[in-house]
Amino acid sequence: MNNHIYQERRNALAKHIFSKTGSGLAVISTAPELTRNRDSEYPYRYDSDFFYLTGFEEPGATLVLQVQKNGKGFELQSHLFCRPKDLEREIWDGIRLGPEAAPKELGIEFAHSNKELDEKLSEMLADQDAVYIRLAESAEADRRLRHWMKQVRSQARSGINPPSALHDVEELIHEMRLFKDAHEIDIMRRAAAISARAHIRAMQICKPGMREYQLEAELLYEFRNSGAQSVAYNSIVAGGANSCILHYRAGSTELRSGELCLIDAGCELDGYASDITRTFPVNGKFTGPQRALYDITLAAQEAAVAMTKPGNTFIQPHEAALKVLTQGLLDEKLLKLSEIGSLENAIATGAYRRFYMHRTSHWLGMDVHDVGSYREQTEHASKEEKPWRVLKSGMVITIEPGLYVRPADDIDEKFWNIGIRIEDDAVIQDGGCELISRGVPVKADEIEALMKNA
Ligand SMILES: [Mn+2]
């Protein structure tokens, strides 16, 4: 077990609470089970923050951290509330860890049945300075908090004070999650390697006449056969014109010779996402116009990768990619220099947005669009003035430029319905970054060679 990892994270969170308000009580519940239809449920996925602090995968659980000032330092007591053992339910739903076994198994100080949550919380909140919760999480969470507070307030005459401040616990946890430790990066490397293999498999199997859902099945096969528990997000398998729809899902469109197929798919392994996009010709050979836009997109990605290093800001890779993409649009006359005047003007006016309408990067971690602030948390600046976050070792971002050309009267028909995105996952480290998703080829020639030899 890696219990010490979770203990260290709980301690780090307690330290943040201590420096903010001295003492405090943090309450973090895992995700609820969700009904898909009638009495069928979606596959269960724990809450990322909760799992980050406990390593515990069962539903129905809440973590409570009690931070108390102690001389100059603080003392932390961790309490887990979890489903009690229930032999009847366990026959149907599976084995529960239960509060008796939880402390030893999870390395947590105290464990209780989740049926005691309301009663215990009302006690624990007494004489606490501050409560750390997810603000405005849900009506149910608000109702519970109101109930606990009411219980504490009712004891006011016996000298017990309710907490007087509410703080957002997510802000603290998300800042921690932004920096991945060695344990996390190791999992993310393995997740990306599995996803890369899945992309290779899809490219090798792809033939004109197949349907998008058949390639989705190949991706899933590789994910699950490699031990990944799930997709990190719904797979995009987009043939032809569908490649220009950013959040398209794998559908039943036939993949046709002469068209492109864009796959944006990644597995989730042990709670961590991978996120890879590749675009390839359905028949294994790029057409001239496809190749031209592909090479521009790849050059844009290379420019962004070169800017992905400690000390640069989050937006610098995007700006580098944007410059290359926009120059490429001018070179291919998709943007007309005579109308726009200059590259600088094409960027300043946002003329490129017709063909590139998303950012180049997002944080990647337990959640595919991972948590963490994209702006520096400076004290006095207004939101607009807040500078972009400075990249540091341990952060993980995607680098995913794209070009999308929809049919239009003023666009040369040879470019119609070409949608291209190239996405890799980058771990920022001293001097630069490591692309952990390059197990799958990215150069046009290499993709063609891979498909030809399949
Ligand atoms: Mn992405």
Side-chain angles (χ1 to χ4, degrees):
M1 286 299 285
N2 292 308
N3 285 341
H4 66 281
I5 291 170
Y6 306 107
Q7 283 163 353
E8 281 160 21
R9 290 175 188 164
R10 290 195 295 271
N11 263 316
L13 176 58
K15 206 170 163 187
H16 289 307
I17 290 170
F18 170 69
S19 36
K20 216 172 151 97
T21 55
S23 76
L25 194 82
V27 184
I28 303 124
S29 291
T30 195
E33 295 172 283
L34 287 177
T35 303
R36 181 174 182 275
N37 60 309
R38 187 77 176 162
D39 59 353
S40 294
E41 280 166 357
Y42 282 106
Y44 182 69
R45 169 57 155 77
Y46 43 79
D47 174 78
S48 297
D49 290 334
F50 176 85
F51 184 80
Y52 180 77
L53 295 168
T54 60
F56 189 48
E57 297 183 22
E58 284 185 28
T62 298
L63 174 70
V64 179
L65 302 183
Q66 216 170 2
V67 183
Q68 292 292 354
K69 272 185 284 194
N70 175 7
K72 281 183 185 166
F74 66 90
E75 202 176 301
L76 164 67
Q77 284 189 352
S78 300
H79 297 258
L80 179 79
F81 293 82
C82 61
R83 299 181 305 180
K85 295 295 280 180
D86 181 334
L87 293 181
E88 172 68 16
R89 283 317 317 163
E90 290 182 44
I91 289 169
W92 293 90
D93 302 333
I95 304 295
R96 298 175 176 191
L97 180 60
E100 293 78 13
K104 188 156 181 281
E105 185 68 22
L106 301 172
I108 205 153
E109 283 104 330
F110 305 97
H112 320 271
S113 162
N114 58 9
K115 292 181 175 141
E116 295 170 39
L117 182 66
D118 283 338
E119 191 194 323
K120 282 264 191 314
L121 252 291
S122 304
E123 291 168 17
M124 287 173 159
L125 280 174
D127 289 327
Q128 283 287 347
D129 296 336
V131 190
Y132 289 77
I133 55 158
R134 292 198 181 97
L135 293 178
E137 180 187 10
S138 69
E140 167 64 13
D142 288 354
R143 190 196 60 74
R144 291 198 103 151
L145 179 66
R146 273 209 306 277
H147 173 74
W148 303 332
M149 291 291 280
K150 200 172 155 192
Q151 295 294 115
V152 188
R153 285 181 189 128
S154 71
Q155 299 170 69
R157 269 163 305 189
S158 47
I160 289 169
N161 292 315
S164 58
L166 279 185
H167 291 275
D168 185 13
V169 73
E170 286 190 348
E171 192 189 353
L172 301 176
I173 302 172
H174 292 180
E175 180 64 19
M176 291 168 62
R177 280 177 54 193
L178 183 53
F179 296 89
K180 278 72 179 172
D181 58 33
H183 167 80
E184 296 181 285
I185 287 171
D186 173 59
I187 300 173
M188 292 187 77
R189 270 202 196 99
R190 286 187 282 125
I194 293 170
S195 296
R197 286 205 301 275
H199 278 263
I200 287 177
R201 186 181 175 90
M203 284 180 197
Q204 286 176 327
I205 283 170
C206 183
K207 276 190 199 64
M210 286 180 78
R211 304 270 170 178
E212 292 166 341
Y213 57 74
Q214 291 179 295
L215 291 191
E216 183 190 22
E218 299 296 337
L219 296 163
L220 271 173
Y221 174 86
E222 193 64 43
F223 292 166
R224 288 296 280 147
N225 195 48
S226 301
Q229 290 85 357
S230 174
V231 292
Y233 53 96
N234 293 326
S235 302
I236 296 172
V237 180
N242 297 336
S243 63
C244 295
I245 303 170
L246 297 180
H247 289 165
Y248 183 79
R249 279 205 56 186
S252 57
T253 301
E254 186 182 328
L255 301 167
R256 285 183 293 260
S257 186
E259 294 185 338
L260 291 174
C261 178
L262 183 156
I263 295 183
D264 184 344
C267 69
E268 178 180 291
L269 179 72
D270 299 343
Y272 287 81
S274 52
D275 187 3
I276 303 180
T277 309
R278 287 292 183 269
T279 310
F280 55 90
V282 169
N283 65 12
K285 185 87 186 132
F286 285 96
T287 66
Q290 288 169 353
R291 176 70 190 251
L293 297 195
Y294 189 90
D295 287 345
I296 291 167
T297 310
L298 185 57
Q301 199 206 29
E302 282 164 3
V305 169
M307 296 304 281
T308 303
K309 56 182 177 189
N312 280 357
T313 65
F314 173 80
I315 207 67
Q316 280 178 275
H318 175 64
E319 287 169 347
L322 203 51
K323 216 167 166 181
V324 175
L325 290 173
T326 308
Q327 183 61 54
L329 290 168
L330 290 165
D331 293 344
E332 293 299 326
K333 311 217 166 18
L334 284 157
L335 289 176
K336 298 186 180 58
L337 198 60
S338 57
E339 291 167 18
I340 291 172
S342 66
L343 171 65
E344 290 69 30
N345 209 33
I347 291 172
T349 59
Y352 63 86
R353 279 201 199 107
R354 185 174 176 192
F355 308 102
Y356 183 48
M357 55 299 278
H358 59 78
R359 279 237 169 78
T360 305
S361 300
H362 55 79
W363 306 131
L364 182 71
M366 300 192 74
D367 299 311
V368 62
H369 297 152
D370 206 33
V371 296
S373 168
Y374 287 94
R375 300 268 186 179
E376 294 292 339
Q377 298 301 301
T378 47
E379 283 284 310
H380 300 293
S382 73
K383 199 184 170 205
E384 280 68 34
E385 291 165 335
K386 272 186 186 169
W388 290 99
R389 198 82 201 229
V390 174
L391 299 177
K392 292 185 177 146
S393 285
M395 290 174 165
V396 182
I397 67 171
T398 63
I399 306 176
E400 48 177 313
L403 286 175
Y404 313 91
V405 188
R406 290 163 169 277
D409 288 343
D410 61 337
I411 302 284
D412 190 335
E413 202 173 333
K414 68 182 181 181
F415 291 119
W416 286 10
N417 296 320
I418 295 180
I420 293 165
R421 182 164 60 256
I422 303 170
E423 175 176 31
D424 283 288
D425 304 341
V427 177
I428 293 153
Q429 55 190 27
D430 283 351
C433 66
E434 177 192 345
L435 297 177
I436 57 176
S437 50
R438 280 292 174 86
V440 51
V442 70
K443 291 194 174 113
D445 289 340
E446 289 171 5
I447 288 174
E448 288 182 347
L450 178 84
M451 295 181 75
K452 194 177 173 192
N453 298 329

